[in-house]
Structure formats: C-alpha cells, structure tokens
C-alpha cells in the first residue's frame, strides 16, 4: 500500500493515490506559441486554488488557516447522516445480492459529497441527482423505498420530484445539468428564491451537455451550483483518459464561472463550499463549479468487476481517507462524540436499514394497464386501443388458466 | 380564446407570430426562446416584435446550442413555465435529439405523471425553398416514432394559428413542424384558437374515388393534384393530417373505406417514412375495402438534394397523378410488382 | 477470410469479439474505440482482450462523449482508417445523432463519392434483459429512415461474426445493432466472413402458410412461435432480415407471394416503426397475393417499461400466435376493424 | 462614429467597438465562495494574454516589443492574397444579386484570418472550413468555381476534399471540429506529419461538439489547431449573449490547451500564431486554441438584414480597422509596395474576378440520375429502382412534349 502524507493535501498527492498515473499528464505549463505580450491574463480570480481546499484533514485535525469550521451541531448532523447513508448504501448493495434490486451503483467513499452537498441546500432549493446519488436523495428526505424503486425495476422513478424538490435520478450523463440550469433560470424569471444543485461525475464533464449547461448558466447568471464528484473513474476509464486539464474546476473560467477545487472526502469542506455557492447564487451572483476530489470505493455497480482496471492498493489508500472516520475523529477530539453517542448512531442506522430491508421484501404488484397511463396527460386514442388489447389478452390468458 | 383580429389576409409566418403573441399575452408562464428569436425576430421573422413587446425576460436569444435550448426548457417546465422554443432549421434540431427522446418524451411517464412538460419545440422543416444542405430535412418520422411526443404540422395560416395555440396549451410536449415553404403562403381567415381537437385530421376536399392523404408542405401540392385529377375524371378526397402523432384513425379509415383507394404524399424519404405507417395502418384496417394497394408518393431515399435537383426529388402533382393512375382502376395489377423477384438484390 | 477456428460453441458476444480480432488482424487500418472498450473490454465484454493484443493505438478508451466518438471517427475515416466504434447502449447513441445523420450518412453524397466513410457504429440495442430506463431502446427505425446509412442486425452468433466482418469491409457507414439479449445465446458454428451478401435476408425456416418476418432480438421468439404454430397446423416460414437498410425485397416478396400471409415482428414501438415499412411495402408489392392484411406484432407505443412490466411489452410467442389466428384463415375479416370509425378519437 | 485609440490594443477597446455593450459583462473577478487556501492556481501559463496580441497596429506600425515580423515576402504574399480574396468575396456577393448564387456568407473584414490562417499551413496539412470560409478555401488553391458550387445550389460540395486537403464547407456548426481532431489523430496513429486547422466562429463555441473536440484533442494530444474567428456575432446574437468568459481563449485551460488571444485583423499576427501552433502540433505538443478578434463587416449573409441588430457606427469603427489597409500601410512604409505594385495587384484581382464572373455565367447541366449515384458506394437495389422510375418519368415527360 502506498504511504500517505496527509497534510497539506496537495493535488500531486491526490494523483499519487491512483495507481495508473502513467497517463496522468495534466498540461499545466504553457508552451508559448509565440512571444506573447507581457499583458497578464484576465480573470485568474476565477481559477481554483492549486491544492484542494480542506477544512478537516484526513486525520481529523482542523486546518485552521483554511477558515472557520461549520458549527458543531452541523458537523454532528453531517456525521449522523453519513452514518445512515453509509448503512443505506451497504443495505442496497446487499439487496442486489438477494435479487431484490436489479442493480445498485454505490456511493461508498463519496459520502461527504452526498451528505455535505444536500445538507447545504435550503428547503426551497432543488437537487438534480444521478443514478449514483441515492444517498443524497435519502438525505434530502425522500422515502428510501421510493428511491430504490428505479433500481428495483419497478418504475423509472419512484418518488414525486415536486414533493422534496428532487429531480428523477438521471441516467443519460450530463443531461441533468441543463435541466438544473433551466429550473434555476425559471426561478429567477419568476422572482423565486430557489437554487438548483446538480450532481455530476468526472466522466460526465466530457459530454457536450455539461459545456452547454455551464455556458447557459453563466450567460444567464442562473442560480445553480454544479457539484462535480470527481471519483477518479468513469466506469473503467481513469481521469487521465478523460481530461488533460490541470483540474476539472479549471473549466469554470472558460465560462466566466468561478471554479473551486476541494477535498471531497471532507464533509465540512463540501458543506461550507456548497453553502457559500448557494448563497452566491441566491444573491444573484450566478453559478459556481465545484470539483470535489473523492473516490468510488466499490465497483461502478454491483455488476462491474473493478479488478479489471484498478488494483486493490489504490482502493486501500482511499479507504484510509474515509470521510466518516475523518469526521468521527474530529468530533471525538472536539468532545462532540463519545462511544455512547457513536453507538446510538449506529443503532439508528441499523434500525433504518432493518426497516428498509423489510419493506423491500414486500413484493410490489405491477399493474399492466399503467403502461399506458402516463405517456401523455390523457391516453391517446391509439394508446387506449393498445391498452384494451393488452387487457383483453390478459383476460383471455386468465380464462384459459 | 380568439385573436381580436377580424378575418384578414395573413401569411403562415404572420399567423404563427400572432399565435405566439396571443399566447404570451394570455399566459404569463409562456416564454419564447432560441437562436436569433429575440432582437432579430427569427430568421423567418416568426418571432418578430415579440421581444420588444413582451420584454427580454419572456422572449430571448440563447447561446448557440440546441441541446442547451431543449434541456433548459425542460428545467423551466419543471418549474412551472410553458416554454416555446425554436430550432432554427430541421437539421439543427439533431443536436437536441437526446434531450428530446430521452427526457422530453419520457419524463411524464418516468414520474408516473408527477412531472408535466408543456413544451412546444417549433421546427421549420422541409424543402422546396432552394436551400442548401441541412436546411431542408423532413424529420417528422423520427419524432412520430418516439412515444410521449405529440407531432403537429399545419398546412395553412389559420391552422398554423390554431394548432400552435392549442399546442402551447397542451400539457404534453409537442414537436411543432412548420413547413417553411408555406411560410409566405397567404390566406384570408379569422385566427381562432378554438375549434377541432389538436389531434383531429381535416378533410380539406371531399371526394368519392380515392383518398389523398398528406400534411404540411405537400398539402397544397396534393390539392393541386386533386384539381388536376378531377379533369381526368377522378373525384379525389384530400385529408390533411395536421397531427402526425397521435394520428386520427377515425377520419382516415372512414374516408378510405368509402373511397377504397388511398395515396399518401410527403416529401420526406419514403423508406421508414411517415407514409409507411399510414399505408400499413390502412392496409390492415381497411383491407376488405381496398381496391388497390395504398401507394406512397414521397421523396427518394437520398439526402435532400441541392437546389438544382430538388424539383426532381419533391412530390409533384404529376407524380401524384401517376400514382393515381396506378390504382388499378381497370382491375389490372401494377405490372411493376408482377415478376416474383421484385427489386433485384 | 475465415476465422482459423473450427466449428465450436460460441456466444454472440464471443463471435463479435472474434470478428473484431480477425478484422484488426486482417487490416492495419481498423481501429476500435469507445467508452470502456479498452482496458475493461466493454461492458458486454465484446472487446475483451483486444487492447492487450493489438495495443492502445488500435483499441482504446475515449473520453465520455458520443458525438465526439462518431465525429472523430469521421475524421479518421477521412484519413484512411476504418473505425469501429461502440456506443455503450442504444439510448446513449442519441448524443451522436447529429454526427450520424448530418455527416456520417451524407458525406459521401455531399462530395460526389470523393469521401468514403467505412465506419461501423456498434450499438447494443433492445430490451429483455431487465435493464433500467435508457438501456433498452430499439432505435433501428431512426437509422433505417436515414438515407446513406446501412443498418444491419444479427440474430445468431454465426451471423454476428459474418455480418460484422462484412460491415467492417463495407465502404458505406454501417449502423450495426447488436440485440443485447442475445449476447449470451450460444451456437455451434464455424465462423466465416464469406457467404451471402451483406444485404441479403435469410429464410431461417421454410414454410408454406404464412411468412413471419423478424430481425435481431425477436428472431428467436419468432422461431418459437413458428414451432408452436406447427402444432396448431400452420406451416410458417420465418425470415430473418439481417439487413434493415437496404432491405432485401426479393426474398420478402418471393416468400409472401407464395404464402399469401405475413406478420412482421419487432420489439420497437409499432408506430412509425420498422415494421410499418415492411407492411407497407408488402401490401403494395404483393397486393394480389395477400389473403389477409400484413399484421404487425410490436412493442406498444410507450417508453420502454421498467423490468417489472417489460414482459407485457415485448412480443411473445403467444402474441405472435394471436396475430396468426387473426389472418382470416376462414375468410372472415378481422372484427376489430369492421366498425367504420376505427379507434375513437 | 466612435473615436479609436489604436495602440496598445486593449480588450477593453475591442469591446468598445461594439455598440451593444450593455450585456457585455465578462466575469473577470472571482467572487471567492469561501476563504480559499493561499495555494496559487495551477496552469495559468495556459491562459491567453490579457490583451490581444498584435504585430502590426491598425495604423500599419510594427509593434516591435511583441516580437519579430514574418519576412517581407511573406507579408507581401499575405497582402496579395487578401486583395484577391477581398475581390473574390465582393464578386460572390455580386453574383447573389444576379441570381447566380443562392446565398453567400461574406468574410469581408475577416480577411486576415482567412488568408493568414491558410498560408501558415504546409502542403500536407488539412483545412476544415465553415460556410463563411470561402476565401480561405480559395487561398488554399481550390478552384473558385468549385468552391461556389455549394452556394450556387449545384451540389453540396463542388471540390474533391482530398485534392487540396480541404474538408467540405461545414454548415452544422462546430461539427467540423471533431472531424479535424479525428483526422489529426489518425495522422498520428499512422505516423504521418499532418496537422489539421479547423475554423469556427464565436457562436460555434457554444455547441457541445466544440467542447468534445477540444477535450478529445487535448487528451489525445492531437495535432490540431483551432482558429476561432470571433467576429462578434452569431447571425444577430452578440458575443455578450454567447459567453460570460473573460475571453473565448480562456476555454483552453479547461482542457489543458494553451489559449491565445490575438488581433484577428492583423494578418502578421494571425500568420505567426497559426504557424507556431502548427509547429507545436507537428512537434507532438498537441493542440492550440487561437481566438482571433475580428468583425463581420457584411450582414450574416446577403439574405440577412443586419440593421435589425447593430448600428452603422459600429460597422464604421471596424471599417477603420481594415486588415488590408493596415498591411498595405506597413508594406508601403517598409518600401515593399508602391503605387505600381498596388496597381498590378488590383489588376490581378480584377482579372481573377472577371474569369470567375464569366465562368459562373455558364449554366451547369444537372443530371437527375446523379441523385442516386453517391448515396452508397454502389446504388442499392431500392435506389436503382427509384432511379429507374425517375428516368422513366422523365422519358415519359419528354415523349409527351
Ligand atoms: C450519455 C451516456 N453515455 C453513456 C452512459 C453509460 N454510462 C453510465 S455511467 C458511466 C460512467 C460515468 O462516469 P462519471 O460521470 O464519472 O460518474 P460515476 O459513475 O463515476 O459516478 C457511463 C459511461 C450513460 N449513462 N449516458
Ligand atoms: C447546429 C447548428 N445550429 C444552427 C445553425 C444555424 N446558423 C448558421 S450560422 C449561425 C451563426 C453562427 O455564428 P458563428 O459561429 O459566430 O459564425 P459566423 O457566422 O459569425 O461566422 C447559425 C445559428 C447551424 N448552421 N448549425
Ligand atoms: Mg466518476
Ligand atoms: Mg460569429
């Protein structure tokens, strides 16, 4: 296993956490094409800091020079939600093994982003998650059984997006970034104080839609926050094959959007950065692009075999940077958590998982007629015809039995 | 809701402009955006004057990105607006194809009806204007094959007004295809939003011998052909479909059962084109009434040609009349299909 | 060119893998790229081992961007390579739609033949695997309607090998649709690149009473239905189209003129689906031979459903048998279409 | 008319050349979302200079501190080609009025980009132009009548792309950027010394394809040069509604590509910058993004009415920055051009236009059978059927006459 040098956390070190660094050649030096004029580049204030920003280091120590920590109750709540989220995630993975879920993309390792991003939102804000962000949605308050109905194969989205202001989990990569921008811009047009937080992965940044969303957001000064969970992989493809940029947060300046590079395993840093970006957005100052450096501990989904493209040393190195351990260490050293408290939290999480497990064991009856019910506001004449023919077919089959 | 105007001579572009203005006035939630639709008023002037009248918050230019336009429209609709967006030309809607097929068409179903997307995507389509490549595509079959979308196309100024108003009011996403070669066609009409349902076809000429079925840019050609056919002794009925999806089976089958013969006309490539669906449906539903096969008069299966050659590509009255003549009036089968091999592979 | 292997048991995924390996070995110009096709060997393992064997310059992972993949493939082909690219799933090919329709399909024509684009776009398509939304689309009609593209889909491992080799050798762009639910189907066969032309359909079962026409994922279901039909006394012929564009008219018409009845089966939505073209063509070309309308057994006109309900959506042997039963064997018209109105609008 | 302050050419001044500056609020100051660590941003060497780089100022004076000028024969050739190109452009516009061309998008005002970019290419390099780049293609040596066959409505591309290594003029915006990257990468894979130069406009930078092309190019270190002619408008839409970035060249850093901001009306600067970028690319150092600031003097096409969205003062201000006048002034002051030489050049251009005019007056017979000839390598059976039916129809029609 690689030895880790925890503080200060340098991008260089972050890269060392990856085994496959051979391709990793971000282009950070200009090769001057000609003797450029001495005039300094504009807008450098939009660039991210060179090293990922951190408030609590992996050993649980506050990085005091980086700024103030969120208040203790917030930190405690971040920890509590991460414990529950982690347990939910493990339970979901277990359900795939029991055949109760068709597939599950785990966010183990990205817990600080899942929880920190969502807790920074206000009641009236919207969340635009992807398939990997079930923990974020659960943290937002959506019924976990409803969250899992997609992955259970029951229906494409099991919850009402308007209830908790959570868009359906988005599978086509990067497409949700545009939805978030549109929703946020509509809020501005309607004079509503709503911010949209959209989650996307490192791979999704390569899609054209991400580019268009960043650009529309910037031109419209839309109240939207892009939280990019850079977990190092798009399925099997490492970041080095995805980009040659110094960091993904460096994309911001090309749109006139400030880019922030943060330690995505530091829940305090994620929470603080997203909260500040939400405030900026709500204050009419436009979008922010936040790149949170983190790691996907599990395979892409339970169906994936990660040993084909990365080695266990790499995973072990990142396990040592666990976001829960880090915050727990801080809370304990700050006297905010003791064994009793930790035990109560564990019990709460177990209870959460037990209820989920039980509810997921119940079979959900599927109604074939519903296939035709929601395609249009009212089923069209051809769809009514098709529904009737399916129902007749089922009746006949029933009669035959 | 009726436009305040009395019957007057109006172009299709003008009727669409009035429809947008009336919709913007009627509903604060309506927003109109796209490339060049604001200050310029659109390259076809369909949005002329709207930005000045309703302000930059309701009618505005976007950055140049079609997926961006449709994608943000989806987000806006999730937040209660009724976006009407313009794709500048048919082929320039393709960058938005994923947003259209994977989200616009599916989001209501995905959420069991919880999320409604009352969005209209306006697309000037088709050729016949001497346009260069990529400016003359007929893309209706792509959209009509996509469940969850409505596909509507007007053939006259009055229909353009009514169908656009109804499309904007419709809770479903509508792909609104505007036959650009008819933009400057004129009609004296009173513009009204009320009338038949959005998905009802129109019998635009009554007839007894054969049913000619068309939509959009080729309805006018079809009516000309019907007039010419009358001189040859055939009394043709002409149907303007108006709504391509869903299709109005009742009007179609009622007509074809009566006439016993049908020809479908459109300018898009024939192979897997919209006419295939009509021909297949009618062949199934009117099998025992058909005196001859349902024929199709369509564009060839080639990329839309350059202006110098488009005249050969587009369905002409002559070509429609040729098809009529092949409808086995004398009970003799079409000799082209008599050899058992069909085309030689 | 024949694979060195003797007849052996092989899956479709395995046959495709061998085809790619043999093509890479046969022609230095062949390159294979896409998302996860390198190190991982593809999410369906179709490119397994190829990067290791042929090197990262010939088999490689790209950034995650489908328009980028097809767009750069076009540039590579302009520079003499023969790219074989993978779209990870059907619905994830939509971001590339503009590159496919506006360039891949048209560049040869645009340049009067000066620029040739021998590109194969491999797309795993269709459902039946319990996949979540966007992983089960059947998009063949979009491509088949686009002039300039060839659309090919195998139904068996041996065909998968041969058709992929021929597609790679073909000077035209080919959309190569792989029915993902057949990936693990096995066959004992010798893999050969030679044989019938790329656009020739196969009569996979001879019969005299009715022609069942299918392709890709539903051929197996259709063969099952033919076997069941035999028990009910119907001797069905089964055609696997293999090439959806161009279509092999000769094989189709020859069969249907003989049997007088036809059913088209596919899992894509029926409306404006590929089956509409087949039904329309046969109704026109075999009008005087048809004893009953050409029927279609297809998916419903709905977004592909969640796994819990996909069984109701997909064409089943029962549904094919139902269609057979409706082919008016006793000369009685289908009562569903007797009332003059058809569906009530 | 606005008064102009010619030297040094500041971005601020460039912006002042536009009437509609109200929307122009490029975001150049970071609004720190949180107290960022003091660690300086990485990769700033990839950023463009703050002011557009210039070798010859609008008055024709060399900007000596900016670097050496190209040799005099090169400057003379740049001027000669611009004179011919300008005349060609005017002739083409005239042909639209006579109905000999369906439509023509003029590049008047962008002459320095059209000519400077192309002359910097080597024989073996490829050009990927758009609909606006007819002058560039003519400069590359393609027969002007062949170039105009698209706009004449005769066929979609009138020249053989392989002959002069010029891709067909591309109408779907930004899609050609990917073709260029693919062609360039293929050259690298085949070990050929070929660079691709792709032309795009400011509007095209908003399309997803531009983003994907820049990213693929950077990750692959493909030998490709992006020459972005920022002429201030996408049809009617001013740059201010297209982007909020400090400059479009600032997009480079988000991909790890050096961005260069140059005065696009200075042929010497364009030539030098593109040539250096071609050398970098050929040397294996990857792509460059060059933003050339210029102006579209004419309407979008002859069919457009530019008075709807910009005023004549703005155009007049840019006419005063004419790239031809500038280089002529330099050449005259450097003793490389006198009245005689200028007269000879004018005559050469007139002759070029006269030949073109005459050749364009000849009607080109169109062969309907060709509709089916090039759709596939060999016409398919269905297409042969359709061809035969069209020919039969034409025969019948002929017989009837
Ligand atoms: C448009 C599109 N293309 C391809 C896919 C298939 N796919 C699903 S997840 C994935 C990788 C995504 O990587 P990243 O954005 O980094 O997110 P992560 O899975 O790491 O959270 C791919 C290629 C998809 N869902 N959508
Ligand atoms: C994908 C696409 N969308 C829309 C258009 C229609 N269109 C043609 S030119 C143009 C403006 C392009 O602006 P820019 O890229 O700045 O180039 P310029 O015309 O100024 O040279 C538009 C919107 C198109 N050709 N392609
Ligand atoms: Mg990732
Ligand atoms: Mg421009």
């Amino acid at each position: 296993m690689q030895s880790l040098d925890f503080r200060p956390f340098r991008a260089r070190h972050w890269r060392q956490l990856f085994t496959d660094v051979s391709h990793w050649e971000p282009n950070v030096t200009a090769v001057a094409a000609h003797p450029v004029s001495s005039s300094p580049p504009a807008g450098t204030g939009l660039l991210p800091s060179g090293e990922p920003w951190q408030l609590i280091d992996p050993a649980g120590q506050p990085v005091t020079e980086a700024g103030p920590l969120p208040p203790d109750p917030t930190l405690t709540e971040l920890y509590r939600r991460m414990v529950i989220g982690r347990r939910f995630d493990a339970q979901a993975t277990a359900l795939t093994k029991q055949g109760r879920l068709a597939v599950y993309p785990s966010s183990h390792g990205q817990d600080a982003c899942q929880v920190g991003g969502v807790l920074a939102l206000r009641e009236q804000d919207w969340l635009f998650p992807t398939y990997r962000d079930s923990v974020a949605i659960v943290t937002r308050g959506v019924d976990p059984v409803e969250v899992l109905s997609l992955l259970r194969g029951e229906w494409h989205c099991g919850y009402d997006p308007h209830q908790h202001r959570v868009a359906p989990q988005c599978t086509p990569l990067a497409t949700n970034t545009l939805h978030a921008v549109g929703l946020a811009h509509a809020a501005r047009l309607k004079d509503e104080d709503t911010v949209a937080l959209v989650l996307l992965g490192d791979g999704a940044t390569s899609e054209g839609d991400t580019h268009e969303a960043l650009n529309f957001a910037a031109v419209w000064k839309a109240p939207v926050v892009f939280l990019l969970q850079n977990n190092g992989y798009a399925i099997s493809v490492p970041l080095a094959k995805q980009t040659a940029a110094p960091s993904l947060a460096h994309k911001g300046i090309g749109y006139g959007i400030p880019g922030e590079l943060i330690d995505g395993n530091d829940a305090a840093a994620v929470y603080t950065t997203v909260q500040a970006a939400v405030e900026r957005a709500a204050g009419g100052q436009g979008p922010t692009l936040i790149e949170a450096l983190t790691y996907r501990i599990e395979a892409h989904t339970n169906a994936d075999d990660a040993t084909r493209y990365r080695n266990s040393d790499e995973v072990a190195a990142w396990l040592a940077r666990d976001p829960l351990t880090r915050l727990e260490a801080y809370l304990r050293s700050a006297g905010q958590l003791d064994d009793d408290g930790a035990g109560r939290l564990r019990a709460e999480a177990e209870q959460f998982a037990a209820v989920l497990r039980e509810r997921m064991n119940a079979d959900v009856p599927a109604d074939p007629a519903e296939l035709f019910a929601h395609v249009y506001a009212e089923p069209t004449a051809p769809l009514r015809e098709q529904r009737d023919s399916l129902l007749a077919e089922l009746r006949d089959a029933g009669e035959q039995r | 809701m009726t436009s305040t105007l009395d019957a007057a001579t109006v172009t299709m572009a003008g009727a669409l402009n009035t429809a947008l203005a009336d919709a913007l006035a009627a509903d604060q939630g309506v927003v109109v955006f796209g490339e060049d639709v604001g200050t310029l008023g659109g390259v076809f002037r369909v949005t002329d004057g709207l930005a000045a009248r309703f302000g930059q918050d309701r009618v505005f230019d976007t950055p140049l990105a079609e997926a961006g336009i449709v994608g943000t429209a989806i987000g806006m609709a999730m937040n209660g607006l009724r976006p009407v967006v313009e794709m500048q030309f048919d082929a320039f809607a393709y960058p938005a194809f994923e947003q259209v097929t994977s989200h616009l068409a599916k989001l209501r179903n995905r959420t069991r009806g919880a999320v409604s997307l009352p969005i209209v995507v306006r697309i000037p389509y088709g050729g016949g204007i001497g346009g260069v490549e990529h400016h003359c595509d007929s893309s209706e079959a792509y959209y009509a094959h996509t469940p969850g979308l409505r596909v509507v196309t007007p053939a006259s100024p009055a229909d353009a007004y009514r169908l656009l108003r109804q499309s904007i009011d419709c809770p479903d996403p509508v792909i609104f295809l505007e036959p650009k070669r008819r933009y400057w066609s004129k009609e004296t009409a009173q513009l009204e939003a009320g009338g038949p349902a959005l998905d009802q076809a129109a019998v635009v000429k009554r007839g007894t011998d054969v049913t000619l079925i068309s939509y959009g840019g080729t309805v006018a050609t079809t009516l000309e052909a019907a007039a010419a056919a009358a001189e040859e002794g055939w009394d043709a009925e002409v149907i303007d479909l108006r709504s391509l999806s869903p299709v109005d089976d009742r009007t179609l089958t009622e007509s074809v059962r009566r006439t016993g013969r049908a020809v479908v006309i459109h300018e898009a490539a024939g192979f897997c084109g919209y006419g295939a669906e009509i021909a297949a449906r009618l062949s199934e539903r009117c099998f025992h009434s058909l005196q001859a096969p349902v024929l199709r008069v369509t564009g060839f299966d080639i990329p839309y040609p350059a202006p110098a050659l488009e005249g050969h590509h587009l369905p002409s009255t002559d070509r429609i009349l040729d098809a009529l003549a092949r409808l086995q009036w004398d009970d003799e089968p079409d000799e082209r299909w008599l050899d058992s091999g069909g085309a030689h592979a």
Side-chain angles (χ1 to χ4, degrees), chain B residues 167-257:
Chain B
S167 294
I168 294 171
D169 285 345
C170 177
D172 301 318
V174 178
I175 305 294
F176 193 86
L177 298 169
E178 303 173 359
K180 60 175 93 77
R181 61 164 141 154
R182 304 299 303 162
Y183 269 145
W184 311 118
S185 65
K186 287 192 181 136
E187 188 181 32
T188 302
Q190 184 169 347
L191 302 180
E192 292 185 76
L198 179 57
D199 49 15
Q200 193 170 318
V203 178
V204 287
K205 175 186 172 308
R206 287 268 160 209
T208 52
D209 295 340
V210 55
T211 306
L212 305 182
I213 301 154
S214 190
Y215 54 87
T218 44
V219 170
T221 321
T222 303
L223 283 167
E224 276 167 37
E231 290 172 27
E232 315 220 359
W234 290 310
D235 181 18
E237 177 144 318
V238 178
I239 292 181
D240 171 5
L241 289 173
R242 289 174 174 164
S243 170
L244 304 187
S245 178
V247 66
D248 177 359
D249 281 309
R250 181 182 273 272
T251 300
L252 283 178
T253 53
E254 189 281 324
S255 172
V256 174
R257 289 202 182 112

Side-chain angles (χ1 to χ4, degrees), chain B residues 9-47:
Chain B
T9 302
V10 62
T11 62
M12 183 182 286
L16 292 166
N17 181 270
T18 307
L20 290 172
D22 290 353
L24 282 157
D27 182 346
Q28 280 296 316
V30 173
V31 285
V32 171
F33 58 98
E35 295 158 10
D36 302 291
V37 303
T39 313
L40 182 64
V43 294
F44 293 106
R45 304 292 183 266
V46 170
T47 55

